[in-house]
Amino acid sequence: MPERWTPDSWRARPVVQMPAYPDAGTLAQTESKLASFPPLVFAGEARNLKKSLARVAAGEAFLLQGGDCAESFEDHSANSIRDFFRVFLQMSVILTFAAACPVVKVGRIAGQFAKPRSSATEVRDGVELPSFRGHIVNDPGFSAEARQADPSRLVDAYHQSAAALNLLRAFTKGGFADLNQVHAWNQQFVASSNEGLRYERTASEIERALRFMAACGIDLGKESALHQVDFWTSHEALLLGWEEALTRQDSLTGDWYDCSAHLLWAGERTRDPDGAHVEFLSGVHNPVGVKLGPSTTAEEAVALCGRLDPQRRPGRLVLIARMGAGLVRDTLPPLVRAVRDAGHPVVWACDPMHGNTYTSPNGYKTRNFEDVMEEIRGYFAVHRAEGSWPGGIHVELTGDNVTECLGGSDEVLSAHLVERYETMCDPRLNARQSLDLAFQVAEMLRS
């Protein structure tokens, strides 16, 4: 950790991707109010996640990170959280059972409200207004009032995050995640699909394995790992005032932790080693990540490792490659080699979503499922060739039956996008596509 780091030392660094609030005084008052609230997560939880990620860095486990592109204030029902968690559990079971590999489960949830934008403003019919930056900042409606950054939304985001975490903790420890419920996780609209039927076969094999263990005299009731799971939260550390306000000094160690989530990451647009976002992440003791796009050089990757994990602590740093299906096989190898040669024990993960986004002929931002899978295949091939561990995947997904990404075995076509295109920002894999991805990744791990 750099000397003289404080939770507000980022304010002396160059800042990008931060909204312009009309009243600095009101913003400061709101951030002060947030600083008085209880933490959303706890330092000990973040330390436990770091231990689990250390196993991933050592090639002994696999990271599954995923969830919404940007959470919504409007769609926050218990059902939507349950459906997301259910498909996430299905994916983790598929990966664990088929590949015989422990899965570290990290959701993009309970704090993933802000989104970076390629332009600070948006123009429609000759009218220019600030871009929509997520419900934590402003509203998607195209009016001057809707697009004005509103500090009160920070408090709304805190309360929604707290409610989501409360429900997720109940799901993970209260019986919903029990392996005896493995059949019940298959949603009705998925169950009749090819992915759902394949999942049912996996669930039946797990059920038979549990019966076999019981017949051998193993007391399954005492095996907590069969009845509950560890589930961690994450989001992009974009609004640094929010992150600073929720940063606390741990009473046991004296270290600083960002208690807005267990894991935070810097994005492709905010990963400047000398910038404000990397400065903030360099001083908190959570596990942290950074997105690496196709323009990243080997020198930049090593510099980021040096800034974010100078002590080379396994489980501290996740490097998330988001290269694009056509570029990953050429752009990723020199980064893997440089980081390895510099002695940094990082977790490598693949974000196959953001490098494969395009606009369909009918005007919808979308991704093709085959492009997503091709980037993952390229990512695995690179690590196989380099003798390194392809530590995880980082995907945008939902448990809902949306039509936002094209392709998959029950093929979504361009004409289907209009039917259920519900994302706040970027297109997400639906439940069927998510299970298809999990089965294919499990085969890659097994091979």
Side-chain angles (χ1 to χ4, degrees):
M1 187 175 69
E3 293 182 5
R4 296 185 300 278
W5 183 94
T6 59
D8 65 350
S9 60
W10 64 269
R11 295 180 184 270
R13 299 291 184 117
V15 176
V16 296
Q17 291 292 332
M18 298 272 280
Y21 288 93
D23 186 339
T26 302
L27 175 62
Q29 290 174 5
T30 304
E31 291 172 349
S32 179
K33 183 178 182 179
L34 281 171
S36 71
F37 288 176
L40 290 170
V41 304
F42 303 99
E45 294 174 334
R47 283 193 289 271
N48 288 338
L49 173 57
K50 190 183 296 182
K51 292 176 184 176
S52 294
L53 289 173
R55 294 192 65 191
V56 179
E60 299 170 355
F62 190 76
L63 169 64
L64 173 61
Q65 186 174 4
D68 233 322
C69 66
E71 292 177 90
S72 167
F73 285 178
E74 297 166 358
D75 181 20
H76 186 240
S77 68
N79 288 346
S80 65
I81 296 172
R82 178 204 61 205
D83 290 346
F84 155 72
F85 188 61
R86 184 155 52 185
V87 76
F88 205 85
L89 286 175
Q90 288 180 283
M91 294 175 73
S92 65
V93 161
I94 290 166
L95 290 166
T96 302
F97 189 74
C101 182
V103 173
V104 179
K105 294 167 276 292
V106 179
R108 292 171 54 110
I109 194 170
Q112 179 56 24
F113 293 106
K115 291 296 290 183
R117 304 314 299 256
S118 56
S119 173
T121 60
E122 179 184 358
V123 179
R124 295 187 193 175
D125 300 323
V127 177
E128 185 175 15
L129 293 173
S131 294
F132 173 58
R133 292 184 176 272
H135 271 162
I136 194 173
V137 176
N138 54 9
D139 190 87
F142 196 75
S143 69
E145 181 180 10
R147 291 298 176 89
Q148 181 171 286
D150 179 1
S152 71
R153 289 173 171 268
L154 297 169
V155 177
D156 294 338
Y158 172 90
H159 290 304
Q160 180 164 320
S161 297
L165 276 161
N166 183 57
L167 188 58
L168 287 165
R169 286 187 168 113
F171 283 152
T172 58
K173 307 300 181 184
F176 187 85
D178 194 312
L179 268 181
N180 290 305
Q181 303 295 318
V182 68
H183 283 288
W185 299 340
N186 214 1
Q187 298 185 69
Q188 188 60 42
F189 72 87
V190 178
S192 61
S193 68
N194 291 334
E195 297 81 17
L197 294 172
R198 189 175 179 186
Y199 174 78
E200 277 298 316
R201 290 194 292 271
T202 299
S204 295
E205 291 179 30
I206 292 171
E207 220 170 41
R208 283 194 294 272
L210 291 175
R211 289 199 300 268
F212 172 77
M213 292 165 65
C216 291
I218 298 173
D219 187 348
L220 301 183
K222 293 183 178 180
E223 299 295 331
S224 61
L226 300 177
H227 309 296
Q228 52 187 251
V229 299
D230 289 325
F231 180 83
W232 318 99
T233 63
S234 68
H235 62 255
E236 181 174 356
L238 198 59
L239 300 186
L240 295 180
W242 153 276
E243 306 299 345
E244 177 190 334
L246 290 171
T247 297
R248 306 284 188 268
Q249 192 166 22
D250 180 36
S251 59
L252 295 179
T253 64
D255 296 328
W256 291 98
Y257 284 84
D258 184 346
C259 295
S260 69
H262 300 108
L263 183 151
L264 296 309
W265 75 85
E268 169 71 358
R269 296 182 178 96
T270 57
R271 60 172 172 80
D272 178 2
D274 296 318
H277 291 82
V278 171
E279 166 65 17
F280 175 79
L281 292 178
S282 71
V284 295
H285 282 248
N286 308 60
V288 298
V290 59
K291 294 281 189 82
L292 304 179
S295 65
T296 310
T297 66
E299 293 75 18
E300 289 171 334
V302 172
L304 283 164
C305 291
R307 285 283 285 124
L308 294 171
D309 186 27
Q311 297 174 346
R312 292 170 169 80
R313 296 159 292 182
R316 158 66 175 176
L317 181 58
V318 182
L319 297 183
I320 309 161
R322 33 92 78 225
M323 303 295 179
L327 297 173
V328 62
R329 294 172 189 264
D330 294 326
T331 55
L332 184 57
L335 307 189
V336 173
R337 288 194 290 267
V339 170
R340 178 189 60 210
D341 293 346
H344 288 283
V346 304
V347 171
W348 281 102
C350 174
D351 169 1
M353 310 295 290
H354 287 88
N356 297 304
T357 308
Y358 65 97
T359 301
S360 69
N362 53 359
Y364 286 89
K365 183 193 290 189
T366 191
R367 293 152 176 163
N368 192 291
F369 181 76
E370 180 52 33
D371 292 338
V372 169
M373 292 311 310
E374 178 56 28
E375 177 156 1
I376 296 175
R377 286 190 288 268
Y379 166 82
F380 268 77
V382 167
H383 283 284
R384 190 176 300 116
E386 296 297 330
S388 53
W389 176 239
I393 54 172
H394 181 129
V395 292
E396 292 182 338
L397 63 92
T398 176
D400 298 329
N401 191 22
V402 299
T403 53
E404 296 171 1
C405 291
L406 303 179
S409 60
D410 291 335
E411 189 169 12
V412 176
L413 304 174
S414 291
H416 298 148
L417 293 176
V418 68
E419 295 176 5
R420 290 201 63 181
Y421 195 94
E422 300 173 1
T423 180
M424 286 288 297
C425 188
D426 291 337
R428 304 160 296 175
L429 301 176
N430 61 31
R432 294 174 182 174
Q433 292 166 330
S434 298
L435 294 190
D436 192 351
L437 179 146
F439 277 117
Q440 293 194 48
V441 171
E443 291 294 335
M444 295 179 209
L445 285 169
R446 187 157 54 187
S447 64

